[in-house]
Amino acid sequence: MNTTNHYETLDPNDWDEMRTLAHRIVDDAITYLETIRERPVWQPVPDYVTARFDEQAPHEPAGPEAAYQEFLETIFPYPMGNIHPRFWAWYMGNGTVLGALADFLASIMNPNLGGGNHVANLVEGQVVNWMKEMLDFPRDSSGLLVSGGSMANFVGIAVARNAKAGFNVRENGMQEAPQQLTVYASIEVHSCNQKAVELLVLGSKNLRKIPVNADFTINLQALEETISADREAGYRPICIIGSAGTINTGAIDDLNALADLCQRKISGSM
Ligand SMILES: Cc1ncc(COP(=O)(O)O)c(C=O)c1O
């Protein structure tokens, strides 16, 4: 049915045309994944394509067909490469086809997770509960789905800071910190953690980068010595960041040993 005369709506002009295009997009996407091994991992973006992204914003709508055509020509052929089986640059890999389709459905529902009686909140709670089960966390521990690794680490360090600072950071702010708070991680830790300590007003100099062993895991002895020296110098150690798959080599720190060290060496709750 053609419903062209909508007054201010985000609906497509023609649902049937949109349905046809949507089917084509799904077909193209599945073929893209199915045939990925037949293409190079990566190819440089040609200058004429780069130039397309430097054009001024369009003042008239191009329409869905033209927009998709442009995607096919200037975007789809030039991926980062991380979804290719022969991508060795960093550890990050691919999602699943069903995961991608689930993203599509999530966009269709476009929920706001801020509250209310709707099922997306239950889905979030379910996923968090499943994660707790897998990680042997107590059932009454809390959790949150966030946008990715950077936000996860940011939130984690915020929790550590607020719980271990020894004063009410949320109410009084870092201006009232009686001691400098310190955070520990190996030199292989992802750079988002440094950004997080900066954003949380802890100061990047207070993120202590600890040397690694030959297998690129954190050196526990160096870590313990650094924490002891900091304590003696009047700092307040509040957090150890363990890497469960470093960005360069996928090394996994001895997380159990780090947990034991935290019990012994990290400041108590406020
Ligand atoms: C170990 C590690 N932590 C954090 C991040 C940041 O994750 P995101 O890009 O999802 O913010 C990455 C990204 O690749 C990572 O490898």
Side-chain angles (χ1 to χ4, degrees):
M1 189 181 61
N2 193 315
T3 49
T4 1
N5 290 327
H6 280 310
Y7 175 70
E8 287 205 332
T9 175
L10 295 176
D11 286 352
N13 284 339
D14 185 318
W15 283 101
D16 288 338
E17 271 180 23
M18 185 54 83
R19 187 186 309 275
T20 305
L21 179 61
H23 282 282
R24 208 178 118 208
I25 290 173
V26 171
D27 275 343
D28 290 350
I30 302 281
T31 303
Y32 184 83
L33 293 177
E34 195 181 11
T35 58
I36 199 161
R37 288 168 180 77
E38 296 162 20
R39 294 189 298 278
V41 175
W42 172 87
Q43 56 176 329
V45 183
D47 289 346
Y48 76 91
V49 172
T50 304
R52 292 299 306 268
F53 293 89
D54 203 24
E55 290 170 7
Q56 284 192 310
H59 287 226
E60 296 299 330
E65 281 282 344
Y68 182 53
Q69 194 52 41
E70 178 147 2
F71 171 80
L72 287 178
E73 285 166 19
T74 64
I75 295 180
F76 228 11
Y78 308 107
M80 183 183 197
N82 55 299
I83 67 169
H84 196 286
R86 294 191 60 78
F87 178 82
W88 309 122
W90 296 284
Y91 81 110
M92 62 225 186
N94 202 358
T96 63
V97 178
L98 195 58
L101 294 173
D103 276 349
F104 166 72
L105 293 174
S107 294
I108 292 285
M109 291 184 76
N110 200 21
N112 180 311
L113 276 286
N117 181 3
H118 60 106
V119 80
N121 289 321
L122 301 180
V123 173
E124 180 175 31
Q126 179 187 47
V127 172
V128 170
N129 281 338
W130 285 354
M131 299 299 288
K132 288 189 277 189
E133 252 176 67
M134 283 187 246
L135 296 170
D136 262 343
F137 272 36
R139 177 85 191 170
D140 62 355
S141 52
S142 65
L144 194 63
L145 296 188
V146 293
S147 55
S150 302
M151 272 318 288
N153 287 314
F154 178 81
V155 172
I157 298 171
V159 169
R161 185 196 65 171
N162 296 350
K164 299 291 184 181
F167 68 101
N168 193 334
V169 182
R170 294 184 65 180
E171 195 171 311
N172 301 329
M174 287 299 291
Q175 288 93 326
E176 296 207 2
Q179 285 168 287
Q180 298 226 27
L181 311 180
T182 47
V183 175
Y184 304 81
S186 88
I187 52 171
E188 291 289 308
V189 77
H190 191 272
S191 57
C192 69
N193 292 288
Q194 175 160 334
K195 291 184 186 154
V197 296
E198 289 168 5
L199 286 166
L200 290 163
V201 202
L202 294 166
S204 56
K205 77 180 171 66
N206 292 323
L207 173 62
R208 307 282 196 245
K209 299 265 185 76
I210 308 298
V212 289
N213 303 311
D215 63 0
F216 297 99
T217 58
I218 192 166
N219 184 314
L220 293 166
Q221 195 185 336
L223 172 62
E224 185 154 358
E225 284 167 9
T226 308
I227 295 175
S228 299
D230 277 345
R231 277 207 174 289
E232 270 177 39
Y235 292 95
R236 185 177 172 95
I238 57 156
C239 175
I240 300 173
I241 304 168
S243 291
T246 58
I247 183 81
N248 290 321
T249 66
I252 299 179
D253 290 338
D254 186 342
L255 302 177
N256 285 327
L258 291 183
D260 292 344
L261 194 55
C262 282
Q263 295 256 313
R264 281 190 286 117
K265 290 280 189 180
I266 293 297
S267 305
S269 300
M270 54 171 287

